[in-house]
């Protein structure tokens, strides 16, 4: 499955939710009729989309099974997934968040550092959260630090510079 949006909040009283698209093509959400909602791909449940309305870089969706604001509030923070065949391919050199999370992180010298826990979108760009031992290290998702991503081998190579690991 592919994560295509994140539910950010409830809207109104009739069970609508605001979603943030993970694609720069928010309009593609309007064509979705059957999706899966959950914290991760491993715990999703199916949901039928009744309506989708684009609002700038976000959209407002209504699911058939959600009747009121309380039900919509319960969905806040969950991801919207579609089956692989409904996804659009990532641009060359770009990756979907769900492809990055869980990758093993290695230094350029081949030393295993840890695992990618999350991808955080900040105003200056995406940052990958890498768990190294008991610590979580923030690594800017730019070519200077992310030297190689190998989805087939489930690994990422990170350039370590002074201060990055502190």
């Amino acid at each position: 499955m592919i994560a295509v949006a994140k539910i950010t909040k409830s809207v109104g009283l009739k069970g609508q939710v605001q979603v943030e698209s993970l694609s720069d093509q928010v309009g593609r959400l309007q064509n979705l009729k059957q999706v899966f909602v959950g914290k991760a791909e491993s715990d999703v449940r199916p949901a039928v989309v009744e309506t989708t309305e684009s609002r700038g870089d976000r959209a407002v969706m209504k699911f058939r099974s959600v009747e009121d604001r309380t039900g919509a509030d319960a969905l806040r923070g969950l991801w919207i997934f579609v089956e692989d065949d409904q996804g659009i391919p990532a641009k060359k050199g770009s990756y979907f968040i769900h492809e990055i999370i869980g990758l093993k992180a290695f230094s350029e010298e081949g030393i295993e550092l840890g695992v990618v826990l999350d991808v955080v979108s900040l105003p200056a760009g995406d940052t990958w959260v890498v768990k190294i031992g008991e610590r979580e290290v923030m690594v800017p998702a730019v070519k200077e630090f992310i030297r190689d991503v190998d989805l087939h081998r489930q690994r990422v190579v990170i350039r370590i510079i002074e201060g990055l690991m502190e």
Side-chain angles (χ1 to χ4, degrees), residues 106-159:
F106 291 84
S107 70
E108 290 180 296
E109 295 75 31
I111 299 168
E112 186 171 343
L113 302 171
V115 65
V116 180
L117 290 181
D118 199 3
V119 176
V120 180
S121 293
L122 300 173
D126 288 348
T127 299
W128 295 3
V129 180
V130 180
K131 183 166 178 87
I132 300 175
E134 296 300 316
R135 299 178 321 159
E136 292 181 5
V137 176
M138 306 281 278
V139 179
V142 295
K143 290 180 182 180
E144 181 177 341
F145 296 107
I146 307 299
R147 303 305 293 165
D148 183 51
V149 176
D150 187 338
L151 296 179
H152 181 69
R153 292 174 58 197
Q154 290 291 292
R155 60 183 283 152
V156 59
V157 176
I158 298 173
R159 172 177 283 166

Coordinates of all heavy atoms in Angstrom, one line a residue, residues 106-159:
F106 N 23.2 3.5 7.3 CA 24.6 3.2 7.3 C 25.4 4.4 7.1 O 25.0 5.3 6.4 CB 25.0 2.1 6.3 CG 24.4 0.8 6.5 CD1 23.1 0.5 6.1 CD2 25.2 -0.2 7.1 CE1 22.6 -0.8 6.3 CE2 24.7 -1.5 7.4 CZ 23.4 -1.8 7.0
S107 N 26.6 4.5 7.7 CA 27.6 5.6 7.4 C 28.2 5.3 6.0 O 28.1 4.2 5.5 CB 28.7 5.7 8.5 OG 29.5 4.5 8.4
E108 N 28.9 6.3 5.5 CA 29.6 6.1 4.2 C 30.7 5.0 4.3 O 31.1 4.4 3.4 CB 30.3 7.4 3.7 CG 29.2 8.4 3.3 CD 29.8 9.7 2.8 OE1 30.4 10.4 3.7 OE2 29.7 10.0 1.6
E109 N 31.2 4.7 5.6 CA 32.2 3.7 5.8 C 31.6 2.3 5.9 O 32.3 1.4 6.2 CB 33.0 4.1 7.1 CG 33.8 5.3 7.0 CD 33.0 6.6 7.1 OE1 31.9 6.6 7.8 OE2 33.4 7.6 6.4
G110 N 30.3 2.2 5.9 CA 29.6 0.9 5.9 C 29.2 0.5 7.3 O 28.8 -0.6 7.5
I111 N 29.3 1.4 8.3 CA 28.9 1.1 9.7 C 27.4 1.3 9.8 O 26.9 2.3 9.5 CB 29.7 2.0 10.7 CG1 31.2 1.8 10.5 CG2 29.2 1.7 12.1 CD1 32.1 2.8 11.2
E112 N 26.8 0.2 10.4 CA 25.3 0.4 10.6 C 25.1 1.3 11.8 O 25.6 1.2 12.9 CB 24.7 -1.0 10.9 CG 23.2 -0.9 11.0 CD 22.5 -2.3 11.1 OE1 23.1 -3.3 10.8 OE2 21.3 -2.3 11.5
L113 N 24.3 2.3 11.5 CA 24.0 3.4 12.5 C 22.7 3.1 13.2 O 22.6 3.3 14.4 CB 23.9 4.7 11.8 CG 25.1 5.2 11.0 CD1 24.8 6.4 10.2 CD2 26.2 5.4 12.0
G114 N 21.6 2.7 12.5 CA 20.3 2.5 13.1 C 19.3 2.4 12.1 O 19.5 1.8 11.0
V115 N 18.1 2.9 12.3 CA 16.9 2.8 11.4 C 16.2 4.1 11.3 O 16.1 4.9 12.3 CB 16.0 1.6 11.9 CG1 15.4 2.0 13.3 CG2 15.0 1.3 10.9
V116 N 15.6 4.4 10.1 CA 14.8 5.6 9.9 C 13.5 5.4 10.5 O 12.7 4.4 10.2 CB 14.7 5.9 8.4 CG1 13.9 7.2 8.2 CG2 16.0 6.0 7.7
L117 N 13.1 6.2 11.5 CA 11.8 6.1 12.2 C 10.7 6.9 11.6 O 9.6 6.5 11.7 CB 12.0 6.6 13.7 CG 12.8 5.8 14.6 CD1 12.8 6.4 16.0 CD2 12.3 4.4 14.7
D118 N 11.1 8.1 11.1 CA 10.0 9.0 10.6 C 10.6 10.0 9.6 O 11.8 10.2 9.5 CB 9.4 9.8 11.8 CG 8.1 10.4 11.5 OD1 7.5 10.2 10.4 OD2 7.6 11.1 12.4
V119 N 9.7 10.6 8.9 CA 10.1 11.7 8.0 C 9.3 12.9 8.4 O 8.0 12.8 8.5 CB 9.8 11.4 6.5 CG1 10.1 12.6 5.6 CG2 10.7 10.2 6.1
V120 N 9.9 14.0 8.8 CA 9.2 15.2 9.3 C 9.4 16.3 8.2 O 10.5 16.6 7.8 CB 9.9 15.7 10.6 CG1 9.2 16.9 11.1 CG2 9.8 14.6 11.7
S121 N 8.2 16.9 7.9 CA 8.2 18.0 6.9 C 8.4 19.3 7.7 O 7.5 19.7 8.4 CB 7.0 18.0 6.1 OG 6.9 16.9 5.2
L122 N 9.5 20.0 7.4 CA 9.7 21.3 8.1 C 9.7 22.4 7.0 O 9.8 22.1 5.8 CB 11.1 21.3 8.8 CG 11.2 20.2 9.9 CD1 12.6 20.1 10.5 CD2 10.2 20.5 11.1
P123 N 9.6 23.7 7.4 CA 9.6 24.7 6.4 C 10.8 24.7 5.5 O 10.7 25.0 4.3 CB 9.5 26.0 7.2 CG 8.9 25.6 8.5 CD 9.3 24.2 8.7
A124 N 12.0 24.3 6.0 CA 13.2 24.3 5.2 C 13.3 23.0 4.3 O 14.2 22.9 3.5 CB 14.4 24.5 6.1
G125 N 12.5 22.1 4.6 CA 12.5 20.8 3.8 C 12.3 19.6 4.7 O 12.2 19.8 5.9
D126 N 12.3 18.4 4.2 CA 12.1 17.2 4.9 C 13.4 16.9 5.7 O 14.5 17.2 5.3 CB 11.8 16.1 4.0 CG 10.4 16.1 3.4 OD1 9.6 17.0 3.9 OD2 10.1 15.4 2.5
T127 N 13.1 16.3 6.9 CA 14.2 15.8 7.8 C 13.8 14.4 8.2 O 12.7 14.1 8.5 CB 14.3 16.7 9.0 OG1 14.6 18.0 8.6 CG2 15.4 16.2 10.0
W128 N 14.8 13.5 8.1 CA 14.6 12.1 8.5 C 15.0 11.9 9.9 O 16.1 12.4 10.3 CB 15.4 11.2 7.6 CG 15.0 11.2 6.1 CD1 14.0 12.0 5.6 CD2 15.5 10.4 5.1 NE1 13.9 11.7 4.2 CE2 14.8 10.8 3.9 CE3 16.5 9.5 5.0 CZ2 15.1 10.2 2.7 CZ3 16.8 8.9 3.8 CH2 16.1 9.2 2.6
V129 N 14.2 11.2 10.7 CA 14.5 10.9 12.1 C 15.1 9.5 12.1 O 14.4 8.6 11.7 CB 13.2 11.0 13.0 CG1 13.6 10.6 14.4 CG2 12.6 12.4 12.9
V130 N 16.4 9.4 12.5 CA 17.1 8.2 12.6 C 17.3 7.8 14.0 O 17.9 8.6 14.8 CB 18.4 8.2 11.8 CG1 19.1 6.9 11.8 CG2 18.2 8.7 10.3
K131 N 16.9 6.6 14.4 CA 17.2 6.1 15.7 C 18.5 5.4 15.8 O 18.8 4.4 15.1 CB 16.1 5.1 16.2 CG 16.3 4.6 17.6 CD 15.1 3.9 18.1 CE 15.3 3.4 19.5 NZ 15.0 4.4 20.6
I132 N 19.4 6.0 16.6 CA 20.8 5.5 16.7 C 21.0 5.2 18.2 O 21.1 6.1 19.0 CB 21.8 6.5 16.2 CG1 21.6 6.8 14.7 CG2 23.2 6.0 16.4 CD1 22.5 7.9 14.1
G133 N 21.0 3.9 18.5 CA 21.0 3.5 19.9 C 19.8 3.9 20.6 O 18.7 3.6 20.1
E134 N 19.9 4.7 21.6 CA 18.7 5.2 22.4 C 18.4 6.6 21.9 O 17.4 7.2 22.4 CB 19.0 5.2 23.9 CG 19.2 3.8 24.4 CD 18.0 2.9 24.3 OE1 16.9 3.4 24.5 OE2 18.2 1.7 23.8
R135 N 19.1 7.2 21.0 CA 18.9 8.6 20.6 C 18.2 8.6 19.2 O 18.2 7.7 18.5 CB 20.2 9.3 20.5 CG 21.0 9.4 21.7 CD 22.3 10.1 21.5 NE 22.9 9.7 20.3 CZ 23.8 10.4 19.7 NH1 24.2 11.6 20.2 NH2 24.4 10.0 18.5
E136 N 17.5 9.8 19.0 CA 16.9 10.0 17.7 C 17.7 11.2 17.1 O 17.7 12.3 17.8 CB 15.4 10.3 17.9 CG 14.6 9.1 18.3 CD 13.1 9.4 18.4 OE1 12.7 10.5 18.0 OE2 12.4 8.5 18.8
V137 N 18.2 11.1 15.9 CA 19.0 12.1 15.3 C 18.2 12.6 14.1 O 17.7 11.8 13.3 CB 20.4 11.5 14.9 CG1 21.2 12.5 14.1 CG2 21.1 11.0 16.1
M138 N 18.2 13.9 13.9 CA 17.5 14.5 12.8 C 18.5 14.7 11.6 O 19.5 15.4 11.8 CB 16.9 15.9 13.2 CG 16.0 15.8 14.4 SD 14.4 15.2 14.0 CE 13.6 16.6 13.4
V139 N 18.2 14.2 10.5 CA 19.1 14.3 9.3 C 18.4 15.0 8.2 O 17.4 14.5 7.7 CB 19.6 12.9 8.8 CG1 20.5 13.0 7.6 CG2 20.3 12.1 10.0
P140 N 18.9 16.1 7.8 CA 18.2 16.8 6.6 C 18.2 15.9 5.4 O 19.2 15.3 5.1 CB 19.1 18.1 6.4 CG 19.8 18.3 7.7 CD 20.0 16.9 8.3
A141 N 17.1 15.9 4.7 CA 17.0 15.0 3.5 C 17.4 15.7 2.3 O 16.7 16.1 1.4 CB 15.5 14.6 3.4
V142 N 18.7 16.0 2.3 CA 19.4 16.6 1.1 C 20.6 15.8 0.7 O 21.1 15.0 1.5 CB 19.9 18.1 1.4 CG1 18.7 19.0 1.7 CG2 20.8 18.1 2.6
K143 N 21.0 15.9 -0.5 CA 22.1 15.1 -1.1 C 23.4 15.2 -0.3 O 24.2 14.2 -0.3 CB 22.3 15.5 -2.5 CG 21.2 15.0 -3.5 CD 21.5 15.4 -4.9 CE 20.3 15.0 -5.8 NZ 20.5 15.4 -7.2
E144 N 23.6 16.3 0.4 CA 24.8 16.4 1.2 C 24.9 15.4 2.3 O 26.0 14.9 2.6 CB 25.0 17.8 1.8 CG 26.2 18.1 2.6 CD 26.3 19.5 3.1 OE1 25.7 20.4 2.6 OE2 27.1 19.7 4.0
F145 N 23.8 15.0 2.9 CA 23.7 14.1 4.0 C 23.2 12.7 3.5 O 23.7 11.7 4.0 CB 22.8 14.6 5.1 CG 23.3 15.9 5.7 CD1 22.7 17.1 5.5 CD2 24.5 15.8 6.5 CE1 23.2 18.2 6.0 CE2 25.0 17.0 7.1 CZ 24.4 18.2 6.8
I146 N 22.2 12.7 2.7 CA 21.6 11.4 2.2 C 22.4 11.0 0.9 O 22.1 11.6 -0.1 CB 20.1 11.5 2.0 CG1 19.4 12.1 3.2 CG2 19.6 10.1 1.5 CD1 19.5 11.2 4.4
R147 N 23.4 10.2 1.1 CA 24.3 9.9 0.0 C 23.7 8.8 -1.0 O 24.0 8.9 -2.2 CB 25.6 9.4 0.5 CG 26.3 10.5 1.4 CD 26.4 11.8 0.8 NE 27.4 11.7 -0.3 CZ 27.6 12.7 -1.2 NH1 26.8 13.8 -1.2 NH2 28.4 12.5 -2.1
D148 N 22.9 7.9 -0.5 CA 22.4 6.9 -1.3 C 21.1 6.2 -0.6 O 21.1 6.1 0.6 CB 23.4 5.8 -1.6 CG 22.9 4.7 -2.5 OD1 22.4 5.0 -3.6 OD2 23.0 3.5 -2.2
V149 N 20.1 6.0 -1.5 CA 18.9 5.3 -1.0 C 18.8 4.0 -1.9 O 18.7 4.2 -3.1 CB 17.7 6.2 -1.1 CG1 16.4 5.4 -0.7 CG2 17.8 7.4 -0.2
D150 N 18.8 2.9 -1.2 CA 18.6 1.6 -2.0 C 17.4 0.9 -1.4 O 17.5 0.2 -0.4 CB 19.9 0.8 -1.8 CG 19.9 -0.5 -2.7 OD1 18.8 -0.9 -3.1 OD2 21.0 -1.0 -2.9
L151 N 16.3 1.1 -2.1 CA 15.0 0.5 -1.6 C 15.0 -1.0 -1.7 O 14.5 -1.7 -0.9 CB 13.8 1.1 -2.4 CG 13.6 2.6 -2.2 CD1 12.4 3.0 -3.0 CD2 13.4 2.9 -0.7
H152 N 15.7 -1.5 -2.7 CA 15.8 -3.0 -2.9 C 16.5 -3.6 -1.8 O 16.1 -4.7 -1.3 CB 16.5 -3.3 -4.3 CG 16.6 -4.7 -4.6 ND1 15.5 -5.5 -4.8 CD2 17.6 -5.6 -4.6 CE1 15.9 -6.8 -5.0 NE2 17.2 -6.8 -4.9
R153 N 17.6 -3.0 -1.3 CA 18.4 -3.6 -0.2 C 17.9 -3.0 1.2 O 18.5 -3.4 2.2 CB 19.9 -3.3 -0.4 CG 20.4 -4.1 -1.6 CD 21.8 -3.7 -1.9 NE 22.7 -4.0 -0.8 CZ 23.9 -3.4 -0.7 NH1 24.4 -2.7 -1.7 NH2 24.7 -3.7 0.3
Q154 N 16.9 -2.2 1.1 CA 16.3 -1.6 2.4 C 17.3 -0.9 3.2 O 17.4 -1.1 4.4 CB 15.6 -2.7 3.2 CG 14.3 -3.2 2.5 CD 13.2 -2.1 2.5 OE1 12.7 -1.8 3.6 NE2 12.9 -1.6 1.4
R155 N 18.1 0.0 2.6 CA 19.2 0.7 3.3 C 19.4 2.1 2.7 O 19.0 2.4 1.6 CB 20.5 0.0 3.2 CG 21.0 -0.3 1.9 CD 22.3 -1.1 1.8 NE 23.4 -0.3 2.2 CZ 24.5 -0.7 2.8 NH1 24.6 -2.0 3.0 NH2 25.5 0.1 3.1
V156 N 19.9 3.0 3.6 CA 20.2 4.4 3.2 C 21.6 4.6 3.7 O 22.0 4.2 4.8 CB 19.2 5.4 3.8 CG1 19.1 5.3 5.3 CG2 19.5 6.8 3.3
V157 N 22.4 5.4 2.9 CA 23.8 5.7 3.4 C 23.8 7.2 3.7 O 23.3 8.1 2.9 CB 24.8 5.5 2.3 CG1 26.2 5.9 2.7 CG2 24.8 4.0 1.9
I158 N 24.3 7.5 4.9 CA 24.2 8.9 5.4 C 25.7 9.4 5.6 O 26.5 8.7 6.2 CB 23.5 9.0 6.8 CG1 22.0 8.6 6.6 CG2 23.6 10.4 7.4 CD1 21.3 8.4 7.8
R159 N 26.0 10.6 5.1 CA 27.3 11.2 5.4 C 27.2 11.8 6.8 O 26.3 12.6 7.1 CB 27.6 12.3 4.4 CG 28.8 13.1 4.8 CD 29.2 14.2 3.8 NE 29.8 13.4 2.7 CZ 30.0 13.9 1.5 NH1 29.7 15.2 1.2 NH2 30.6 13.2 0.5

